[in-house]
């Protein structure tokens, strides 16, 4: 495994076209695109790393996997009255389907869906309390108390967040929001701004590769059925309008973020985190996707067979 990922990391550093860093969040636009990291966590506790795996990055939309998990825990199946389970085929920040579909977002991973999930999990609590709970959960999953929110990124997202603010008020206009829109947006912007490195992220995702169980204790974080379903949503919706292409090239459930991270799950085998800040035109990490394509081919771990 170490040989495989060392070779992938060295291949990635040699590529010239690394994509473009996200420019619509100015704090992310400052990041050097010339960085790559990969971490592979196995259910037996082993972890393999290559590249700059200790460098913190903004996990952005990858955080939506953790808020979805919390939402299913709190609300169970009733969550699905607020958000659907279908790929949208539109960009992550699109508003076009929302009017036709009466303010119910297609899935929990597009921005509108994740904002609806943030509203659903708050249940009348202040966003500071909700964020403490989200952080507690992520720290517990990664077994690392040092994980925190990058407040500069969170503030910057709020200042440059016209699109998300519009999405939230538009959904609220259908009368489904339970909490004040500014509080919901604060929860959303802040959880997107959690900073982690690939090692921490691979560990945090491992329960999804381990039938829902915490690999340290063997106790379930979610049921095996729920883990399967979260993985199914990651496969079908985790890369937005690039989900089909990601399934075609990589063949693993995955969730991307505009910070350039991707969390991929090889069920029963491993949780894999990659990071490279340059994005493709859809907003998914360009080298991250390529690295996972090579990784899946080398290991034969695509869910569609080797
Ligand atoms: O709301 C946003 O636009 C960002 N906080 C998250 C978007 C994102 O990560 C899309 N993923 N590739």
């Amino acid at each position: 495994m170490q040989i495989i990922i060392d070779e992938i990391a060295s291949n990635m550093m040699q590529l010239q076209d690394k994509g473009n860093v996200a420019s619509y969040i100015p704090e992310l636009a400052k990041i050097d695109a010339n960085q790559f990291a990969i971490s592979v966590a196995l259910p037996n506790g082993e972890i393999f790393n290559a590249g700059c795996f200790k460098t913190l990055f903004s996990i952005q939309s990858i955080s939506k996997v953790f808020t979805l998990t919390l939402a299913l825990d709190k609300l169970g199946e009733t969550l699905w009255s607020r958000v659907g389970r279908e790929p949208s085929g539109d960009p992550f920040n699109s508003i076009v389907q929302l009017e036709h579909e009466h303010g119910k977002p297609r899935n929990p991973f597009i921005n509108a869906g994740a904002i609806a999930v943030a509203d659903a999990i708050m249940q009348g609590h202040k966003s500071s309390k909700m964020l403490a709970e989200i952080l507690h959960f992520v720290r517990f999953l990664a077994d690392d108390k040092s994980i925190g929110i990058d407040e500069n990124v969170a503030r910057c997202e709020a200042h440059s967040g016209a699109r998300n603010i519009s999405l939230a008020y538009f959904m609220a206009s259908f009368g489904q929001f339970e909490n004040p829109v500014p509080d919901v947006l604060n929860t959303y912007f802040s959880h997107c701004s959690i900073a982690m490195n690939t090692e921490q992220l691979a560990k945090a995702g491992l329960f999804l590769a381990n039938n829902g169980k915490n690999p340290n204790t063997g106790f379930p974080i979610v049921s095996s059925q729920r883990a399967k379903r979260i993985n199914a949503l990651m496969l079908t919706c985790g890369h937005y309008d690039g989900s089909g292409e990601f399934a075609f090239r990589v063949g693993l459930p995955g969730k991307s973020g505009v910070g350039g991270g991707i969390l991929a799950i090889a069920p029963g085998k491993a949780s894999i985190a990659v990071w490279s800040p340059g994005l493709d035109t859809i907003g998914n990490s360009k080298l991250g996707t390529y690295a996972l394509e090579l990784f899946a081919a080398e290991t034969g771990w695509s869910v569609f067979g080797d």
Side-chain angles (χ1 to χ4, degrees), residues 198-303:
T198 55
E199 188 174 38
Q200 293 165 332
L201 187 57
K203 282 191 187 165
L206 196 49
F207 73 104
L208 292 171
N210 195 37
N211 289 315
K213 292 200 197 76
N214 181 328
N216 294 328
T217 62
F219 286 116
I221 288 164
V222 297
S223 67
S224 62
Q225 184 197 51
R226 186 162 288 166
K228 233 177 355 190
R229 289 179 160 176
I230 295 170
N231 285 332
L233 288 166
M234 288 170 73
L235 185 82
T236 52
C237 311
H239 282 70
Y240 318 107
D241 46 340
S243 299
E245 181 71 7
F246 188 82
F248 182 86
R249 287 174 56 192
V250 179
L252 295 172
K255 182 73 213 79
S256 63
V258 280
I262 303 177
L263 173 65
I265 304 299
K269 301 197 167 67
S271 163
I272 307 120
V274 292
W275 173 59
S276 181
L279 308 178
D280 61 19
T281 51
I282 287 174
N284 301 316
S285 172
K286 184 160 183 149
L287 294 193
T289 306
Y290 187 35
L292 286 168
E293 184 177 1
L294 297 179
F295 180 85
E298 274 300 320
T299 55
W301 284 355
S302 159
V303 294

Side-chain angles (χ1 to χ4, degrees), residues 9-250:
S10 105
N11 281 345
M12 292 304 124
M13 288 317 285
Q14 283 159 30
L15 294 175
Q16 295 303 315
D17 183 2
K18 296 177 160 53
N20 299 309
V21 294
S23 55
Y24 76 102
I25 302 174
E27 276 297 312
L28 299 183
K30 295 180 189 164
I31 313 279
D32 175 10
N34 200 25
Q35 302 186 77
F36 176 81
I38 180 166
S39 297
V40 182
L42 307 187
N44 69 5
E46 278 185 283
I47 180 138
F48 300 88
N49 300 295
C52 51
F53 63 92
K54 290 287 186 198
T55 305
L56 297 177
F57 61 93
S58 192
I59 68 168
Q60 291 294 319
S61 290
I62 303 169
S63 61
K64 296 169 182 174
V65 175
F66 305 122
T67 52
L68 170 64
T69 306
L70 277 177
L72 286 168
D73 188 48
K74 282 174 184 260
L75 302 160
E77 295 300 302
T78 59
L79 178 69
W80 305 119
S81 67
R82 295 288 310 271
V83 62
R85 306 191 289 256
E86 291 295 342
S88 72
D90 277 318
F92 62 88
N93 57 2
S94 173
I95 201 166
V96 294
Q97 285 163 343
L98 272 181
E99 181 161 24
H100 287 301
E101 298 177 4
H102 312 289
K104 181 175 174 181
R106 276 285 171 105
N107 67 65
F109 293 148
I110 52 174
N111 287 5
I115 293 168
V117 167
D119 179 49
I121 51 179
M122 284 174 69
Q123 299 180 309
H125 294 297
K126 292 230 170 322
S127 78
S128 53
K129 184 174 184 302
M130 196 58 237
L131 287 166
E133 192 176 330
I134 296 169
L135 264 184
H136 179 81
F137 182 52
V138 173
R139 287 172 176 165
F140 164 71
L141 291 175
D143 194 20
D144 192 331
K145 291 192 173 59
S146 73
I147 295 168
I149 291 168
D150 184 331
E151 299 292 349
N152 284 333
V153 175
R155 257 193 307 274
C156 180
E157 281 214 47
H159 285 138
S160 56
R163 179 64 74 105
N164 287 321
I165 296 166
S166 309
L167 288 169
Y169 279 104
F170 192 62
M171 285 189 285
S173 76
F174 290 91
Q176 290 190 347
F177 264 44
E178 293 161 1
N179 301 278
V181 171
D183 282 358
V184 175
L185 283 166
N186 190 51
T187 300
Y188 172 76
F189 290 138
S190 300
H191 75 62
C192 285
S193 303
I194 293 173
M196 291 170 85
N197 58 40
T198 55
E199 188 174 38
Q200 293 165 332
L201 187 57
K203 282 191 187 165
L206 196 49
F207 73 104
L208 292 171
N210 195 37
N211 289 315
K213 292 200 197 76
N214 181 328
N216 294 328
T217 62
F219 286 116
I221 288 164
V222 297
S223 67
S224 62
Q225 184 197 51
R226 186 162 288 166
K228 233 177 355 190
R229 289 179 160 176
I230 295 170
N231 285 332
L233 288 166
M234 288 170 73
L235 185 82
T236 52
C237 311
H239 282 70
Y240 318 107
D241 46 340
S243 299
E245 181 71 7
F246 188 82
F248 182 86
R249 287 174 56 192
V250 179

